[in-house]
Amino acid sequence: MRVTNENTEEFSKKWFLDLIPYLVLVALVELVAVLSWIGPYPSKVKLIVAFLIPYVLVLICGTVSLFHRWMVTVWQFVVTQVKSLRNHHWKKGLLMVLADVVAASVAERILAWIGDGSLTAAYNFRKAIFAFVVLFVISLFVVFRDEMRTRVEIIIFFVIMSIGTAYVTTMPVSCGISWDDETHFHYTIYVAHMLHGNMNEGDAAILTQFYSTAVDHALYTEEEHSAWLEQLNAAGASGVSGADGRVWPKLEYWCYIPAAIGYNVGLALHLPYMFTFILGQWCNLLVYALLIYFAVKRIKTGKMLVACVAMLPPNILMATTYGRDAYMIGFIMLGFCYLMGELQEPEKKLTVWDMVIIVGSFFLGVMPKAVYGPLVLMALCLPKSKFKTQKQCRIYRACVIGVTVLVMATFVLPFLASGGGSVEDPRGGADVGAASQTSFMLAHPLQYLVILFNFMKGYLSLAAAQQGLGAMHYFGASPYSLLLIVLLFVVACTDREESYERRIKLPVRIVGVVMSLGALILCATAMYIAFTPVGSETILGCQWRYQMQVMFPMLYLIFGIPLNNKMDKLWYRGIVLGISSFVVMQALWTNCIATF
C-alpha cells in the first residue's frame, strides 16, 4: 500500500469537520454501552468510564481524522484490488472451484470404498473437505500459474486460507488441541464480553471439556463428537451462566480481538454454538493469512521463506485455534518484511505510512509477550538517507525507542511492584519463587550464565529443531520434521536475488540476529524466574515454539547469500509450496481425519 500526497492540503483543512461525526458517534455508542452495562461494578465506576473513555476515543478519532488522506488511499487500494480480481479470470476461478467440488465428492466416495469396502457407506464430510482442499491447492497452482510467477502473495494467501479452513472445520470443536488454548479462549471471552462480563453456558462447557480432549484425546471419533456437539449447542442456546471473572482490558489482550469479533458475530447471528466457536478460530486464521499476504507482497526476496515459516505445522495449528502466537508471528514478520523491503530500496524515501506500519507492526507483534521487546529495536537499522528530513529521522527513532521502553515496562514495572509475584506461573510447582529466583541470579551471575549457555546450546540445536518443527501438542505430530529442516535451509539459501541481498549490509544482519537472540534469552530468563524451581541447574517451561517469532528474521539474515536463483519461478515456488502443503495436510489426515 502506498500513500500518495495528492490532495493533501484539501484533506488537512477539513480534518476538524471530519472529527464532528466521530464525536457524536462515540458519545452515542458509549451512552448505549454504559446504559446496558450489567456487570458487577458500582455506578461510580460506570460514571468515570462513561466520561473517560469517550475522551480517549475522541483523541484517537481525531488522530484518524488527521490521517484522513491515508484512509482514502486505503479505500482506493481496496477498490483497485477488487477491480484487479474482477479482471483476473474470475470465471476461470469459479469453474475451478466447481470442478474441485465435484471431484472432491467423487474422491470422498472412493475413500469410503477403500476404507469401508462400500460405496454406500455414510457420508464423511471431513474426508470430502480434505479432498476438496487438496484438489483446490493443486488446481490453484495449475490454473493460476501466471500469478505464481508475478503475484505469488495471492497464491500463498489462498493456500493458507484453504488449508487453515480445513483444519478449523475438521478438528474437534473444543479446546485441548493446541498449546494453552483453553487459557487463550478464556481471554477471548474476556474481550468478547468486555461490557457485561457474562459467560455463556457454551463457554463453560468448552472449558470443562478441555481436559478430556487434551489428555484423553476424546472427541476424535464420529460418535463421541456428534454427541458432544448436541450437548454443546444445547448449552450455548440455554443462555448466560453468570459472571466469568473477567478483568479490565490490557494491552496484551489486543491479540484476542480478531477471535472475539468472530465469536461475537456468531452470537449476534444466533448461530449454533459450534459455529460461533469455529467462527472465532476462523477469524484468527483470516488475520494471520492477511498479515502473511502483505509481508510477502512487500519484501523483494525471501517471499517463499515467509511462506515456509508461515506454513509450518505448529504455526498452522496455532493460527486455527485460540491463541496469540500466530498473531505475534504474523505481525513480527510483517514489520520485518517492511523493514527489509525499505533497505532493499535505498533510493526510496520513507513515507509516514511506511514508518507507522514498521513500528506499529513490531509493537502489535511483541505486545502480547513483552520479552520479545528487543525485536522492535531492529527498526533502528534504517539509515538517515532513507528519511526526507533530519527531523523525520529523529521522530522515527524516538518512536522506536519509546515503543521498546513501553513494551518492556509492561513486564518490568508489574514485576517490581509485586515483588515478582505477577510473573510466577503456578504450573511450575511449589518450589517456584520469582523473588527468590531473581535474588539467586543476582547473587550468582556467573553460575546463571553457565546455566543459560547450557540451556541455549540444546534449545537451538538441530535435535531440538527436529522435534519442535513437527510438534503439534495435544493434536499430535508431523513425522516430516527432518524434511522441514532441509526445506527451510534450502529455501533460506536459494530464495534470493543478488542485487537486493547486497543492499542489506553486514551490520544490519548482525544487529538483527543479536536482537533475535536477545529476545530468546529474555524468554528463557523469564521462564527461569517464573516457572523453574529456585536454584535449578536447568531452565524449565521454555518451549521450542517460542522460537517461531524470530525464526524468519534469523533465517533471512543469517543465510543471506548474494546469489541469483536461475530456476523458473513457477517450478521453484510450486515445489516449495507443494512440499509445505503436503506436510501440513498429511498431519491433518493422520492426527484427525483418519480417526473419524
Side-chain angles (χ1 to χ4, degrees):
M1 293 181 291
R2 288 287 179 272
V3 179
T4 64
N5 292 322
E6 297 178 4
N7 302 324
T8 299
E9 293 184 4
E10 178 184 347
F11 288 127
S12 298
K13 290 177 182 177
K14 56 181 292 190
W15 75 268
F16 182 75
L17 293 177
D18 292 337
L19 180 60
I20 295 176
Y22 287 110
L23 286 166
V24 176
L25 179 62
V26 167
L28 289 175
V29 169
E30 193 57 31
L31 179 63
V32 172
V34 172
L35 291 177
S36 62
W37 196 351
I38 58 173
Y41 295 96
S43 58
K44 184 177 180 181
V45 175
K46 294 182 183 180
L47 254 155
I48 293 174
V49 173
F51 285 99
L52 179 61
I53 289 184
Y55 282 112
V56 175
L57 293 179
V58 166
L59 179 62
I60 296 173
C61 292
T63 305
V64 171
S65 295
L66 280 171
F67 301 134
H68 183 269
R69 61 184 183 277
W70 297 344
M71 297 166 64
V72 171
T73 304
V74 170
W75 172 250
Q76 292 172 345
F77 170 80
V78 171
V79 171
T80 302
Q81 295 302 308
V82 171
K83 290 181 178 178
S84 175
L85 180 64
R86 185 181 62 190
N87 295 330
H88 277 78
H89 316 298
W90 66 269
K91 292 180 181 179
K92 186 165 59 175
L94 180 59
L95 289 174
M96 180 191 79
V97 171
L98 292 175
D100 289 339
V101 169
V102 174
S105 301
V106 175
E108 188 276 333
R109 288 294 84 193
I110 294 174
L111 290 172
W113 178 69
I114 294 173
D116 301 325
S118 172
L119 289 175
T120 59
Y123 180 77
N124 191 316
F125 83 92
R126 287 180 174 83
K127 292 181 179 178
I129 290 174
F130 182 88
F132 170 78
V133 171
V134 170
L135 293 169
F136 176 81
V137 171
I138 294 173
S139 57
L140 191 68
F141 293 170
V142 175
V143 175
F144 292 95
R145 53 189 176 276
D146 291 337
E147 281 70 18
M148 181 76 84
R149 289 192 178 97
T150 60
R151 303 183 66 189
V152 70
E153 63 272 8
I154 297 177
I155 305 297
I156 293 171
F157 172 81
F158 280 110
V159 169
I160 292 176
M161 283 303 301
S162 58
I163 292 177
T165 301
Y167 269 74
V168 168
T169 53
T170 59
M171 291 188 302
V173 181
S174 173
C175 291
I177 307 293
S178 184
W179 293 268
D180 304 324
D181 56 354
E182 82 290 355
T183 301
H184 297 300
F185 176 67
H186 209 159
Y187 287 147
T188 301
I189 295 173
Y190 289 161
V191 176
H193 300 327
M194 190 180 299
L195 289 178
H196 54 75
N198 290 327
M199 178 184 284
N200 186 283
E201 288 284 1
D203 305 335
I206 287 285
L207 295 172
T208 302
Q209 175 64 30
F210 152 75
Y211 184 86
S212 179
T213 304
V215 178
D216 301 330
H217 221 57
L219 308 184
Y220 282 85
T221 65
E222 189 62 47
E223 295 76 16
E224 282 185 315
H225 195 254
S226 297
W228 159 245
L229 290 183
E230 290 184 13
Q231 176 186 342
L232 179 64
N233 289 333
S238 63
V240 172
S241 67
D244 63 1
R246 67 183 172 86
V247 296
W248 285 101
K250 299 180 180 179
L251 285 176
E252 57 263 37
Y253 287 179
W254 289 358
C255 56
Y256 302 112
I257 290 177
I261 290 175
Y263 174 93
N264 276 334
V265 168
L267 291 181
L269 295 176
H270 300 288
L271 298 178
Y273 189 86
M274 60 174 287
F275 294 118
T276 298
F277 184 86
I278 289 174
L279 194 55
Q281 294 175 310
W282 191 82
C283 284
N284 261 349
L285 170 68
L286 177 61
V287 170
Y288 181 68
L290 286 172
L291 292 172
I292 300 304
Y293 167 85
F294 286 111
V296 174
K297 183 179 177 66
R298 181 64 187 94
I299 201 167
K300 297 298 181 182
T301 62
K303 294 177 183 288
M304 299 315 300
L305 183 58
V306 175
C308 281
V309 174
M311 292 179 62
L312 291 173
N315 290 343
I316 291 295
L317 181 68
M318 290 186 291
T320 54
T321 53
Y322 286 91
R324 60 187 176 184
D325 291 272
Y327 170 97
M328 295 174 63
I329 293 166
F331 270 110
I332 289 172
M333 284 209 286
L334 178 63
F336 183 79
C337 286
Y338 258 80
L339 178 63
M340 292 299 106
E342 292 299 331
L343 290 172
Q344 290 167 342
E345 297 179 307
E347 70 287 346
K348 173 185 169 294
K349 297 296 183 182
L350 276 172
T351 65
V352 177
W353 184 247
D354 293 327
M355 292 186 282
V356 169
I357 291 179
I358 293 172
V359 180
S361 296
F362 275 121
F363 173 67
L364 292 173
V366 305
M367 194 64 245
K369 285 186 180 179
V371 289
Y372 290 100
L375 296 179
V376 184
L377 294 175
M378 285 195 289
L380 293 174
C381 292
L382 290 174
K384 291 182 179 179
S385 58
K386 288 290 298 180
F387 299 90
K388 296 176 182 178
T389 63
Q390 289 187 352
K391 180 181 179 181
Q392 187 187 53
C393 179
R394 288 195 297 268
I395 293 174
Y396 170 79
R397 292 180 176 177
C399 288
V400 172
I401 295 172
V403 165
T404 306
V405 172
L406 173 63
V407 170
M408 298 306 295
T410 62
F411 174 79
V412 174
L413 294 181
F415 175 80
L416 295 176
S418 64
S422 65
V423 300
E424 289 181 4
D425 192 328
R427 295 172 299 177
D431 295 330
V432 172
S436 301
Q437 191 77 290
T438 305
S439 299
F440 169 78
M441 294 166 59
L442 294 175
H444 307 88
L446 293 180
Q447 183 178 347
Y448 175 66
L449 288 177
V450 172
I451 294 171
L452 179 64
F453 176 79
N454 290 333
F455 171 77
M456 295 300 291
K457 186 170 60 175
Y459 189 58
L460 298 175
S461 66
L462 282 177
Q466 186 173 353
Q467 184 177 5
L469 284 172
M472 302 179 79
H473 204 42
Y474 300 123
F475 188 66
S478 169
Y480 295 105
S481 53
L482 185 58
L483 173 62
L484 291 174
I485 291 176
V486 174
L487 180 67
L488 287 170
F489 175 74
V490 171
V491 174
C493 293
T494 59
D495 191 20
R496 307 286 177 170
E497 289 184 30
E498 183 177 1
S499 59
Y500 288 121
E501 291 307 315
R502 293 192 182 279
R503 296 174 185 179
I504 302 176
K505 305 302 181 183
L506 182 60
V508 173
R509 297 183 185 277
I510 292 174
V511 169
V513 172
V514 169
M515 291 300 103
S516 298
L517 287 174
L520 291 180
I521 289 172
L522 283 179
C523 279
T525 302
M527 296 310 297
Y528 190 70
I529 294 173
F531 195 86
T532 308
V534 177
S536 174
E537 290 298 315
T538 188
I539 298 174
L540 303 178
C542 192
Q543 300 174 27
W544 194 89
R545 66 186 172 98
Y546 298 159
Q547 297 184 42
M548 291 296 185
Q549 281 80 350
V550 302
M551 180 177 289
F552 175 71
M554 291 189 70
L555 289 175
Y556 188 83
L557 295 171
I558 292 174
F559 297 102
I561 303 172
L563 56 80
N564 284 319
N565 188 341
K566 302 294 185 181
M567 189 175 180
D568 188 317
K569 288 184 177 180
L570 173 63
W571 286 101
Y572 178 77
R573 292 171 173 177
I575 291 172
V576 172
L577 284 177
I579 294 174
S580 296
S581 301
F582 164 76
V583 172
V584 290
M585 290 302 287
Q586 188 278 336
L588 177 63
W589 176 270
T590 302
N591 296 308
C592 180
I593 293 178
T595 66
F596 281 88

